Amino acid sequence: MRLSSFIHANLDAILRDWVAFAASQMPAAASIDEVGLLDHGRLILQEIAEDMRRPQDDDERQAKSEGQSDTPAPLRSIPSRSHARQRERQGFEVEQMVAEYRALRATVLRLWRASQGEALALQDLDDVTRFNEAVDQAIAESLSVFVLEVNRTRDLFLGMLGHDLRGPLSTISAYAALALRTRPDDAPQLAVVKRSVGQMKALLDDLVEYTRHRLGSGLPVSPAPLHLDKFAQNTLQEIDAITPGRVLQLTVLGDLQGEWDARRLHQALSNLVFNALKYGFPSSPVRVILDGTRADEVLLAVENHGKPIPADLLPSLFDPLVRAGSDEGDADSQVAGANLGLGLYVVREIALAHGGTVDVSSDEGATRFELRLPRICVRRDGA
């Protein structure tokens, strides 16, 4: 009997073995719906058997074996994709889901081989090849959807976390402000609370922007006429008030009028300055340079002196949730052991939302971030 026909004729026996294996994948298996699993397994096996019967050329065979077939339709109802969504909701690890396919493959081939007797024909070898290709394609489909679902669940969780933490944080801030007016003797301690609240709010803002972008809503901007020099002075005054003992220097060149989103630029400049304060030498000033000498764009640069960023990290510095390792003896480098991804990622997205760019250079002398912005923002409302 051809392998595809054997699968159709022996679905129940194959599925009994598969369900038994899936039930052993604890603790996630505690939530398994056996009826649903049987339905998914039946549909996956039927999908594989039908795929084996379709004609294919050598190029398609190669692509399928690599999980890159162009033939599967982009439908949510494809059984292998539905199975992946079910497994993600049930709390399975990706390794457990792949192990199910491995068990399915072994079960089918074991039962079919036992039914064939001693003699195997040349067509049987071709059937096994087609079967393995179809299983590999089903795994690729499942993995693709499983990873998307995991990422979406994570992003939704982070978004809800960032949103829900704002409530209690606002309460802490309001109480600290009230206490500053009514208990002047506790002003030093309350000032620490206010600084910590400000830092937490900045982190939550970054988290919300990250999840909003990941979930596809984009980064909206609302440009309006802005004097960048006055704006930067006000922003640095706010930062200076909560970073006693550090020196912030502002250098202004040329015409700094344009149209930008002031709230977004405040977020970008604050992120860059706080990054420079965190990783620069405490004894060295942080320099902010505004250069409006070009007619079509302005340059906003932030410089600090500290140990340089490793060259191999620079290309991924603005990627989200990148964590840098550190060699022993280099624990105070610019990014050693730090979670770099959120603040600098948001800076990049703000630059792109304005039609601009952001770049970084780092050597033994200084680390410099450069934000280049067109004078008139070329993107609006996340378009």
Side-chain angles (χ1 to χ4, degrees):
M1 182 184 293
R2 298 296 296 267
L3 181 51
S4 59
S5 299
F6 174 84
I7 292 173
H8 275 297
N10 294 272
L11 282 173
D12 291 338
I14 296 169
L15 289 172
R16 279 196 298 271
D17 278 17
W18 193 35
V19 170
F21 176 82
S24 70
Q25 302 300 294
M26 299 299 286
S31 61
I32 276 184
D33 174 8
E34 185 169 323
V35 174
L37 178 59
L38 284 169
D39 289 343
H40 276 167
R42 188 177 303 275
L43 291 172
I44 289 172
L45 283 170
Q46 289 171 344
E47 175 189 20
I48 289 172
E50 290 301 320
D51 182 89
M52 292 172 63
R53 292 173 173 174
R54 284 194 292 266
Q56 68 178 13
D57 57 26
D58 290 341
D59 290 340
E60 185 178 356
R61 178 179 293 111
Q62 177 69 21
K64 190 184 297 180
S65 68
E66 297 171 354
Q68 300 173 356
S69 174
D70 294 329
T71 55
L75 300 176
R76 290 180 58 87
S77 58
I78 289 179
S80 52
R81 298 183 183 183
S82 299
H83 182 68
R85 280 187 285 270
Q86 181 198 57
R87 281 295 179 254
E88 193 277 331
R89 288 193 297 269
Q90 291 173 330
F92 271 59
E93 299 293 339
V94 65
E95 295 88 350
Q96 292 175 307
M97 186 187 70
V98 173
E100 287 186 292
Y101 280 101
R102 189 169 63 245
L104 182 66
R105 188 198 311 259
T107 298
V108 170
L109 293 177
R110 175 174 55 80
L111 294 177
W112 178 67
R113 178 67 182 86
S115 72
Q116 294 295 94
E118 294 299 324
L120 288 177
L122 184 60
Q123 66 181 18
D124 293 333
L125 179 59
D126 186 59
D127 282 354
V128 171
T129 301
R130 290 294 305 270
F131 173 71
N132 283 326
E133 291 167 354
V135 172
D136 289 342
Q137 183 60 37
I139 293 174
E141 294 281 340
S142 288
L143 284 175
S144 175
V145 171
F146 191 93
V147 171
L148 286 175
E149 291 294 316
V150 168
N151 288 341
R152 184 174 180 275
T153 300
R154 178 198 61 197
D155 293 338
L156 285 171
F157 169 76
L158 291 176
M160 290 187 293
L161 179 67
H163 180 271
D164 292 347
L165 284 177
R166 291 185 174 196
L169 192 62
S170 297
T171 301
I172 296 171
S173 179
Y175 174 80
L178 176 63
L180 276 171
R181 294 194 298 269
T182 59
R183 294 159 50 188
D185 292 343
D186 295 333
Q189 295 88 342
L190 292 170
V192 173
V193 174
K194 290 286 287 182
R195 286 199 298 271
S196 298
V197 167
Q199 293 169 350
M200 289 177 66
K201 183 180 182 302
L203 291 172
L204 290 179
D205 287 343
D206 289 347
L207 183 60
V208 170
E209 298 299 354
Y210 167 74
T211 54
R212 178 182 291 127
H213 180 75
R214 288 277 300 178
L215 293 171
S217 58
L219 187 65
V221 291
S222 301
L226 184 67
H227 291 274
L228 200 57
D229 49 349
K230 295 179 181 179
F231 156 81
Q233 288 172 359
N234 293 334
T235 301
L236 293 181
Q237 285 175 359
E238 294 177 12
I239 297 174
D240 187 60
I242 61 173
T243 55
R246 301 300 298 270
V247 177
L248 304 178
Q249 297 178 347
L250 176 63
T251 301
V252 176
L253 302 170
D255 177 15
L256 293 165
Q257 296 184 63
E259 290 188 7
W260 306 285
D261 187 321
R263 182 173 69 90
R264 297 295 187 193
L265 289 192
H266 180 276
Q267 190 177 6
L269 178 57
S270 297
N271 283 354
L272 291 176
V273 172
F274 279 122
N275 187 76
L277 289 168
K278 183 175 183 179
Y279 297 114
F281 295 138
S283 58
S284 298
V286 171
R287 296 185 62 218
V288 177
I289 302 99
L290 302 178
D291 187 345
T293 55
R294 294 189 57 169
D296 58 339
E297 70 174 17
V298 298
L299 169 68
L300 188 160
V302 178
E303 286 185 355
N304 73 288
H305 291 272
K307 288 201 172 184
I309 300 172
D312 60 347
L313 184 62
L314 290 175
S316 60
L317 197 61
F318 297 97
D319 292 344
L321 305 178
V322 172
R323 181 172 293 275
S326 60
D327 296 329
E328 188 175 353
D330 194 28
D332 58 343
S333 71
Q334 284 277 348
V335 293
N339 189 334
L340 305 175
L342 239 45
L344 296 181
Y345 167 79
V346 170
V347 170
R348 183 186 68 183
E349 295 305 308
I350 291 172
L352 294 175
H354 283 83
T357 61
V358 64
D359 199 5
V360 59
S361 60
S362 186
D363 55 31
E364 294 298 333
T367 293
R368 178 182 173 102
F369 288 87
E370 292 188 349
L371 184 63
R372 295 183 180 273
L373 302 169
R375 285 191 182 274
I376 306 298
C377 176
V378 298
R379 285 185 58 191
R380 298 171 188 267
D381 298 326

